[in-house]
């Protein structure tokens, strides 16, 4: 049944959600810049748009899709406008800080994180089908009403996402490893290459760079604001993962300095064997999982 869906923050994620959900629902969009609102209406991404949060009074379910740093202030301004039974959910890449800030303010709140994206940002970057086959993590707490969780899960399912349930803390620790740490590592790789002191060698390296460099540097060249927010809002887990990574680098340096070639090869064999378990579903089947059947 069609619902009134509110989307606050018409950027990459908010715009992409609107593009998919508009097939079955009426979409009300709020964004910061009037131009973005005009564009969203002109391109029929939303049915109505405004820079004024009072538009959200019509919404049954509202997705908070602003940058992480704006979510809490947005909710404070939004609360007076909400219908009593409105369900609030967010798409923030970090869950602990967001859930701690919003759950005490609105009973019908479900933390969420659709794990899809591109290196682009803003409404122009919005894509339909962005969430197909991608994980959509929901982080309800003991006090989250099950009907609210069910409604958000149903919407996520309609995007053809794979739904996972976990605590906000488990989410933040897991994404530190596979999303936030890779951004920092990849950015450090680019920065390390730039530290080459010979302009001639740097030039040559830049000319020779190919698929290996493209693969390992890609996530280090994404939206800088998003990278900053990951570190700022998931600081403890990002620091923990960076320390673990530094420990690996230290061991690697020792192995190479001391010409421990067998140990190095063993290490690379272990990582070669381990990688598929992070990437392909069939490898995950034997493990206890919180993924929906
Ligand atoms: P984005 O492309 O920059 O979109 C956010 C949009 O929100 C901006 O384009 C801006 O639009 C609008 N906005 C900014 N401040 C606002 C405010 N105070 N009130 C209303 N609208 C405001 O960023 P994004 O990549 O979609 O990320 C949005 C959220 O999704 C973040 O919380 C992020 O953690 C999460 N997320 C991102 C990804 C990813 O890969 N990018 C993946 C999953 C989740 P105008 O200024 O044009 O109005």
């Amino acid at each position: 049944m069609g619902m009134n869906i509110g989307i606050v923050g018409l950027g990459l994620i908010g715009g992409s959600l609107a593009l998919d959900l508009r097939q079955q629902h009426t979409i009300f969009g709020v964004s910061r810049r009037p131009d973005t609102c005009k564009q969203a209406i002109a391109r029929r991404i939303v049915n109505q748009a405004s820079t004024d949060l009072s538009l959200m009074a019509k919404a049954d379910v509202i997705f908070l899709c602003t940058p992480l740093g704006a979510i809490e202030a947005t909710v404070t301004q939004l609360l007076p406008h909400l219908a009593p039974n409105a369900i609030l959910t967010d798409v923030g890449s970090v869950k602990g800080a967001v859930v701690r800030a919003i759950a005490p303010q609105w009973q019908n709140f479900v933390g969420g994180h659709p794990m899809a994206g591109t290196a682009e940002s803003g409404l122009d970057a919005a894509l339909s089908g962005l969430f197909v086959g991608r994980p959509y993590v929901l982080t309800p707490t003991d006090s989250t009403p099950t009907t609210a969780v069910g409604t958000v899960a149903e919407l996520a399912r309609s995007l053809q996402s794979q739904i996972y349930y976990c605590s906000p803390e488990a989410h933040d620790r897991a994404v530190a490893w596979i999303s936030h740490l890779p951004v920092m590592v990849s950015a450090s790789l680019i920065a390390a290459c730039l530290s080459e002191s010979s302009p001639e060698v740097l030039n040559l390296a830049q000319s020779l760079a190919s698929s290996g460099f493209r693969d390992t540097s890609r996530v280090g060249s994404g939206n800088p604001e998003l990278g900053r927010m990951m570190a700022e809002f998931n600081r403890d887990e990002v620091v923990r993962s960076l320390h673990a990574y530094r420990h690996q680098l230290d061991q690697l340096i020792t192995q190479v300095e001391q010409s421990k070639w067998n140990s190095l090869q063993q290490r690379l064999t272990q990582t070669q064997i381990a990688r598929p378990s992070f990437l392909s579903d069939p490898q995950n089947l034997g493990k206890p999982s919180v993924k929906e059947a």
Side-chain angles (χ1 to χ4, degrees):
M1 193 179 65
M3 289 189 280
N4 285 346
I5 304 287
I7 295 181
V8 181
L10 295 170
L12 167 67
I13 300 296
S16 301
L17 277 174
L19 281 169
D20 286 348
L21 295 174
R22 69 177 179 176
Q23 315 289 344
Q24 292 174 42
H25 308 283
T26 306
I27 313 292
F28 298 92
V30 165
S31 213
R32 178 180 51 177
R33 290 182 303 137
D35 259 10
T36 304
C37 297
K38 271 189 213 149
Q39 209 197 112
I41 294 169
R43 290 172 53 196
R44 296 174 198 269
I45 294 173
V46 298
N47 298 86
Q48 284 183 45
S50 169
T51 55
D52 190 335
L53 283 166
S54 64
L55 185 65
M56 291 298 121
K58 298 181 181 183
D60 304 308
V61 180
I62 293 147
F63 288 82
L64 300 161
C65 305
T66 66
L68 277 168
I71 293 182
E72 194 175 351
T74 302
V75 170
T76 307
Q77 291 167 36
L78 178 64
L79 290 183
H81 303 294
L82 291 180
N85 293 323
I87 295 169
L88 210 53
T89 185
D90 77 302
V91 299
S93 311
V94 176
K95 295 277 53 85
V98 173
V99 173
R100 277 193 299 275
I102 304 179
Q105 301 196 61
W106 192 256
Q107 173 79 14
N108 258 344
F109 169 72
V110 186
H113 180 198
M115 297 191 62
T118 69
E120 312 293 319
S121 58
L123 185 62
D124 283 344
L127 293 170
S128 60
L130 183 67
F131 309 102
V132 175
R134 309 292 305 165
Y136 199 123
V137 186
L138 295 178
T139 61
T141 64
D142 291 344
S143 52
T144 314
T146 50
T147 47
V149 181
T151 302
V152 178
E154 195 51 49
L155 288 167
R157 219 171 281 124
S158 76
L159 303 168
Q160 298 178 54
S161 296
Q162 291 274 8
I163 299 165
Y164 290 77
Y165 296 98
C166 65
S167 68
E169 294 72 28
H171 168 275
D172 288 356
R173 199 151 163 177
V175 297
W177 288 121
I178 54 80
S179 175
H180 303 173
L181 178 63
V183 168
M184 305 303 156
V185 167
S186 177
S188 304
L189 170 71
I190 300 170
C193 293
L194 286 175
S195 75
E196 167 56 50
S197 56
S198 156
E200 192 190 338
V201 172
L202 179 59
N203 233 320
L204 182 64
Q206 286 168 335
S207 307
L208 297 178
S210 180
S211 55
F213 190 82
R214 188 176 300 118
D215 290 348
T216 49
S217 64
R218 184 178 61 80
V219 294
S221 66
N223 181 350
E225 191 188 358
L226 187 55
R228 174 218 159 122
M229 294 292 175
M230 289 169 173
E232 199 178 328
F233 285 82
N234 200 19
R235 193 181 60 177
D236 292 353
E237 297 304 338
V238 169
V239 168
R240 183 207 299 267
S241 66
L242 279 169
H243 278 299
Y245 186 67
R246 183 163 70 188
H247 180 63
Q248 290 295 324
L249 281 182
D250 286 341
Q251 288 185 339
L252 203 58
I253 290 169
T254 307
Q255 281 174 339
V256 176
E257 272 178 352
Q258 298 179 356
S259 302
K260 300 249 164 87
W261 308 128
N262 286 338
S263 320
L264 176 63
Q265 185 168 342
Q266 247 172 38
R267 168 188 293 264
L268 296 176
T269 304
Q270 281 163 6
T271 55
Q272 182 188 43
I273 293 168
R275 184 174 182 260
S277 65
F278 286 88
L279 294 176
S280 64
D281 266 347
Q283 301 282 339
N284 283 328
L285 283 180
K287 297 181 190 167
S289 171
V290 287
K291 188 163 92 173
E292 277 198 339

